[in-house]
Amino acid sequence: NVLVDGRQNVFVTDFGFAQMLTKGEASDARWLGGTAGYLPPEVLLDGRQPGPTTDVFALGALLWNLATGSVPTAGECAEPDEMDPSIAGICKRCLAAKPEDRYASAADVAAALRAVEANMRRE
């Protein structure tokens, strides 16, 4: 869902990473669509409908992947040596097991990242 063109421009093609689909109103059969490692526990395990914090979780998984080269595993919150502690903190909050412990929106994540960038420029 994240594409990079030949000029290294990044495009997010779908920010609704997880979708719950039903086979009709009378059916209890559900199909889960999304990418492994990017689905939050409340969608994956509890079957809750996706919301803004679902995308925050997926964004945290993407940040983790960009910083470490791997998708975070369930419960993984250790700070890898190669990850800046400020970025690790943002990832941890995005990847919180409970939606209410995450940032409320992707805009809040962006604000946190901008604050880290501003602090790095001052150092």
Side-chain angles (χ1 to χ4, degrees), residues 21-39:
L21 304 172
T22 60
K23 286 185 164 183
E25 294 179 29
S27 173
D28 286 337
R30 291 185 181 195
W31 299 93
L32 181 65
T35 304
Y38 293 82
L39 292 171

Side-chain angles (χ1 to χ4, degrees), residues 24-111:
E25 294 179 29
S27 173
D28 286 337
R30 291 185 181 195
W31 299 93
L32 181 65
T35 304
Y38 293 82
L39 292 171
E42 71 274 9
V43 173
L44 188 60
L45 303 174
D46 299 337
R48 289 193 210 162
Q49 291 295 316
T53 58
T54 303
D55 287 334
V56 168
F57 186 94
L59 183 54
L62 176 62
L63 289 171
W64 186 278
N65 189 311
L66 290 170
T68 67
S70 64
V71 177
T73 57
E76 180 177 31
C77 285
E79 292 180 21
D81 293 337
E82 67 273 13
M83 189 183 302
D84 180 277
S86 299
I87 300 299
I90 292 171
C91 288
K92 286 180 191 180
R93 185 167 172 193
C94 289
L95 295 169
K98 296 178 182 178
E100 60 270 17
D101 292 339
R102 297 180 202 138
Y103 292 97
S105 68
D108 292 344
V109 177

